[in-house]
Amino acid sequence: MSVAVMRRDCAGSYRELSDVGTEDNTCNSDLRNETDTDQDDLNRTAIRDDEAGSTSLSSIFGKACLKNTFSVILILIYLLLMSVAVFLAYQTITDFREKLKHPVMSVSFQEVLKYDAPGIALYPGEAELLSCKHHYHDHVEFMANPGQRGEIACTKEYVSYADPYRNNTLKSALIISGPQDVRKKELVFLQFHLNETKEHFSAIDYLLFSSFKEFQESSDKAQFMQDCERSYSMWTFSGGFRTWVKMSLVKTTEEDGSESVEFRQESTLVRYNDHRPVSEQTDQLFFAVFEWKDPFIQEVRDIITANPWNTIAILCGVFLALFKAAEFAKLSVKWMIKIRKRHQKRKAQELNQIT
């Protein structure tokens, strides 16, 4: 019996020792599991921190690149605007200088009731004046005896002077007072005849000048006619035709304020049908009619379209825009530097937190 008790005690002791060993093993495995779990948690935390740090750095780098790109684009826009402003200033100055060099012609018309009687200077040569008469309303009386002397009812005067273009050459001119009343369509009808000529062509030269009254009042009429020949154009009308001349007056004001007068004319030719007996057709007949075209004097003057005040205003606006652009660019650069410093400070703080 004692032996049995001893066996039971030994068995019980063995079971207790086994249980204790099992508990120790269980505790050791639990400790190992907890240690592994803590290590995994630490690894996961480190990985998350690394990922957060890398994400923060990439976002910071992306924002910095975006801000730098925006700053560069802004500076390029400022440079472009300044270039446009400089080009506009240069173009404005160039246009102003060109307009000063090339004034624009201005044409206006002045209506008159009567003209000053113009002077009609005729150079008939060997031709003879047969008739001279003023008519009205475009009505020219029929010539009863063409080729015969008729009525000379106009103011005329002969003058001789030295040819201004040929030395030692004397010219003889017949000066006749031209029409005045444009409203009544006043005209002057002239008839010449020429018996013989050695020239190949039969024609009479003439020129028009602005005032017959000035010619009459001139103290040196020869010099007056020389000046007229230098200033006015010479025209001709042919024999065997009726030449109808319609005159218009153009006054031009020069840049220095002086005025010049020019005659413009439109002429029509109508062939004369000579119904005289063949025995009387030994001379050449000339017919001329002088009339005003319309009651308007054309006034021409050069106008400088360049306005200095407009140019000054444009240049002031351009320079003000340049000044404002430069000031704005300066402020933008300061703002960019400030933002960059703030960004660097924030980046340093984030790096310190990560480490």
Side-chain angles (χ1 to χ4, degrees):
M1 184 175 179
S2 59
V3 175
V5 171
M6 289 178 64
R7 288 176 180 175
R8 283 196 296 267
D9 291 338
C10 289
S13 299
Y14 179 76
R15 282 194 301 268
E16 288 177 357
L17 291 172
S18 298
D19 293 336
V20 171
T22 304
E23 289 177 359
D24 292 338
N25 292 331
T26 303
C27 290
N28 291 330
S29 64
D30 291 338
L31 289 173
R32 283 196 299 270
N33 292 332
E34 288 178 0
T35 303
D36 293 338
T37 303
D38 292 339
Q39 187 66 32
D40 292 338
D41 291 338
L42 289 174
N43 291 334
R44 290 193 191 97
T45 303
I47 291 170
R48 282 197 297 270
D49 291 340
D50 292 339
E51 290 177 353
S54 61
T55 304
S56 177
L57 288 174
S58 63
S59 64
I60 291 170
F61 180 75
K63 291 180 180 179
C65 288
L66 182 61
K67 290 179 181 179
N68 291 332
T69 304
F70 177 74
S71 302
V72 171
I73 293 173
L74 192 62
I75 292 174
L76 290 176
I77 292 174
Y78 291 154
L79 292 176
L80 178 63
L81 292 177
M82 292 179 68
S83 301
V84 172
V86 171
F87 175 75
L88 180 60
Y90 172 77
Q91 193 66 32
T92 301
I93 296 173
T94 303
D95 291 343
F96 181 75
R97 295 179 62 185
E98 287 296 323
K99 289 179 180 179
L100 286 178
K101 293 179 181 178
H102 305 286
V104 178
M105 182 181 294
S106 172
V107 180
S108 60
F109 294 90
Q110 178 186 0
E111 186 175 3
V112 295
L113 298 177
K114 282 187 176 182
Y115 286 93
D116 292 336
I120 304 173
L122 300 142
Y123 301 89
E126 297 179 358
E128 181 184 358
L129 177 65
L130 296 179
S131 65
C132 176
K133 190 175 181 180
H134 290 255
H135 299 273
Y136 295 89
H137 301 291
D138 291 344
H139 175 69
V140 179
E141 296 179 359
F142 179 72
M143 295 174 293
N145 298 309
Q148 302 294 324
R149 288 184 177 274
E151 182 181 3
I152 298 179
C154 57
T155 305
K156 62 182 180 65
E157 188 172 342
Y158 287 92
V159 62
S160 297
Y161 62 94
D163 192 327
Y165 301 108
R166 297 178 182 178
N167 296 328
N168 302 322
T169 302
L170 193 65
K171 300 185 73 171
S172 180
L174 170 62
I175 315 298
I176 294 176
S177 176
Q180 288 181 279
D181 198 340
V182 64
R183 295 293 181 178
K184 295 181 180 180
K185 295 186 177 181
E186 180 184 0
L187 56 86
V188 177
F189 177 65
L190 305 173
Q191 181 186 179
F192 293 85
H193 83 110
L194 179 63
N195 287 327
E196 293 181 359
T197 180
K198 296 180 181 179
E199 302 292 337
H200 295 288
F201 301 97
S202 298
I204 293 177
D205 297 331
Y206 70 93
L207 66 83
L208 305 171
F209 57 91
S210 58
S211 177
F212 182 78
K213 184 179 180 181
E214 290 181 3
F215 166 75
Q216 286 184 317
E217 294 175 352
S218 176
S219 58
D220 190 349
K221 295 181 179 179
Q223 183 63 42
F224 182 88
M225 290 307 303
Q226 285 182 340
D227 295 337
C228 286
E229 190 169 347
R230 293 189 184 99
S231 302
Y232 298 99
S233 300
M234 193 77 71
W235 306 84
T236 60
F237 57 88
S238 302
F241 294 90
R242 186 196 68 184
T243 304
W244 198 301
V245 179
K246 292 191 175 184
M247 306 174 292
S248 59
L249 193 63
V250 179
K251 292 183 178 180
T252 303
T253 303
E254 305 295 338
E255 293 183 4
D256 57 357
S258 61
E259 291 187 355
S260 60
V261 179
E262 177 188 0
F263 277 92
R264 295 179 182 175
Q265 57 178 328
E266 298 175 3
S267 59
T268 56
L269 297 177
V270 178
R271 184 177 180 276
Y272 170 66
N273 297 318
D274 197 346
H275 298 292
R276 295 178 298 173
V278 177
S279 59
E280 296 180 7
Q281 296 181 13
T282 57
D283 58 349
Q284 187 75 45
L285 298 180
F286 301 81
F287 305 96
V289 180
F290 293 92
E291 179 189 12
W292 287 108
K293 179 183 177 181
D294 51 46
F296 298 101
I297 298 176
Q298 184 175 343
E299 296 181 346
V300 180
R301 65 182 64 230
D302 291 334
I303 296 178
I304 297 176
T305 57
N307 191 340
W309 296 111
N310 290 342
T311 305
I312 292 173
I314 293 173
L315 291 177
C316 288
V318 169
F319 288 127
L320 180 62
L322 287 173
F323 176 76
K324 289 295 182 182
E327 184 178 1
F328 190 60
K330 183 179 178 181
L331 293 176
S332 299
V333 170
K334 288 183 177 179
W335 174 77
M336 289 163 52
I337 295 173
K338 185 177 180 181
I339 293 296
R340 186 175 183 84
K341 287 182 179 179
R342 186 182 299 173
H343 169 69
Q344 290 177 353
K345 184 177 180 182
R346 187 180 300 170
K347 184 178 179 181
Q349 291 176 353
E350 291 176 354
L351 290 174
N352 290 330
Q353 291 177 0
I354 291 173
T355 58

